[in-house]
Amino acid sequence: ECPEDGPRYVHSSARVLSLRHSFTQISRPMNIALIGHGKMGHTIERLAPTRGHRIVSLIDIDNYRTAFDSDAFRRADVAIEFTGPQTAYDNITRCIDASLPVVSGSTGWTARMDELKEHCLAAGGAFFYASNFSLGVNLFFALSDHLAKLMNAYPDYDVRLSETHHIHKLDAPSGTAVTLAEAIVRRIDRKTRWVRGKAQQADEIGVESVREGEVPGTHEVTYDSPVDTIRLIHEAKSRDGFALGALLAAEFIVGRRGVFGMNDLLRVNA
């Protein structure tokens, strides 16, 4: 069964403790094909050896036409893909077609997600996707989901979202903001869709995007009423949390078949 992009609510401390254990427990060494060598790629490249892994194939804009056919790529146990919305789908399918498990955090392309899931399952491949690999963000998803369930009964509160990222991020709103917004739409009956920018209709959720400096990522969910305001905020301090989550996902997916998301990783050994 294909999981939804957002995680299920983390019901017990056992699941959180099991993931905490996996942060410190090093899995068997893996050979990694790293696809994309931007800021996230550099962070994964730096952290992979701390978990005993090797980057054996590095694929970027300069060599992508030949790198997928190289001996180095064929030595990989798993691929981690962080590129852009124009190239992500093709990169992922090339890994699946090569029978290589692939983890992706690229955003802006997921209108084709159903198509990709079907391709993966038909090919007997392994694909792990998350719009955000941070443990803190996935707990933030759970808190937002629970608050939205509560707020469904209180129509005086209107909801909006905002996200701020570095100027190099190409897509807007962020995949994390879209995941948050879609989950809230599912929970609050008076909301039917999310829109970019400010909401113009009562049934809309506005999602505002800001690009400035080198901000790793800040997401805010705001419920506003005539008498008070409730805010949930997650602020990333660096990219290390995202990169570590992607490495944990790579460790998780090796030896499996199917389509997976962060809810599957959060339930490891639960």
Side-chain angles (χ1 to χ4, degrees):
E1 181 179 354
C2 300
E4 294 178 349
D5 181 32
R8 302 179 186 95
Y9 186 72
V10 182
H11 295 284
S12 71
S13 59
R15 287 173 188 145
V16 178
L17 288 172
S18 70
L19 186 59
R20 184 186 305 164
H21 180 63
S22 69
F23 270 66
T24 56
Q25 182 183 31
I26 305 301
S27 71
R28 71 171 183 84
M30 300 185 305
N31 290 335
I32 298 173
L34 182 58
I35 306 171
H37 204 219
K39 293 181 182 299
M40 273 300 301
H42 278 90
T43 307
I44 291 167
E45 184 180 30
R46 174 171 56 82
L47 292 184
T50 70
R51 297 190 64 81
H53 308 316
R54 296 176 59 221
I55 306 298
V56 296
S57 175
L58 183 56
I59 301 175
D60 202 20
I61 191 169
D62 296 330
N63 68 344
Y64 77 96
R65 295 184 186 278
T66 59
F68 286 98
D69 298 316
S70 68
D71 290 338
F73 181 75
R74 284 189 281 269
R75 287 200 303 272
D77 300 307
V78 64
I80 300 179
E81 195 270 351
F82 278 87
T83 60
Q86 304 303 319
T87 58
Y89 182 91
D90 288 341
N91 291 335
I92 297 163
T93 54
R94 293 189 75 170
C95 292
I96 292 170
D97 291 343
S99 299
L100 183 67
V102 56
V103 172
S104 176
S106 298
T107 56
W109 65 272
T110 52
R112 301 184 70 184
M113 179 63 78
D114 288 344
E115 180 184 349
L116 184 57
K117 287 179 177 180
E118 290 178 8
H119 180 77
C120 178
L121 295 173
F127 172 50
F128 191 114
Y129 180 77
S131 60
N132 195 308
F133 284 92
S134 161
L135 172 60
V137 162
N138 283 276
L139 295 174
F140 185 67
F141 285 154
L143 290 170
S144 177
D145 187 61
H146 186 61
L147 182 56
K149 284 190 288 186
L150 296 175
M151 284 300 186
N152 191 39
Y154 297 95
D156 285 346
Y157 285 89
D158 198 20
V159 60
R160 65 181 184 272
L161 280 75
S162 67
E163 57 93 359
T164 303
H165 282 85
H166 52 86
I167 59 174
H168 314 288
K169 186 169 179 61
L170 299 178
D171 59 310
S174 67
T176 300
V178 171
T179 299
L180 286 163
E182 290 179 345
I184 294 170
V185 168
R186 288 194 295 269
R187 292 296 187 188
I188 298 182
D189 295 336
R190 59 188 179 273
K191 298 297 182 181
T192 63
R193 61 186 179 276
W194 63 269
V195 297
R196 292 180 175 85
K198 293 184 179 181
Q200 302 299 317
Q201 306 294 329
D203 64 339
E204 297 175 343
I205 300 175
V207 182
E208 297 194 59
S209 300
V210 177
R211 297 290 176 263
E212 62 182 22
E214 297 296 333
V215 179
T218 300
H219 293 85
E220 181 172 328
V221 181
T222 302
Y223 288 87
D224 199 29
S225 81
V227 296
D228 59 11
T229 300
I230 300 171
R231 290 189 177 94
L232 288 178
I233 300 174
H234 179 273
E235 183 177 349
K237 296 180 179 179
S238 75
R239 295 180 179 83
D240 285 17
F242 308 132
L244 178 57
L247 288 165
L248 290 170
E251 293 167 7
F252 170 87
I253 199 175
V254 169
R256 288 181 163 90
R257 292 184 179 183
V259 180
F260 304 94
M262 285 300 290
N263 52 330
D264 300 291
L265 180 59
L266 287 167
R267 289 169 181 267
V268 169
N269 299 324

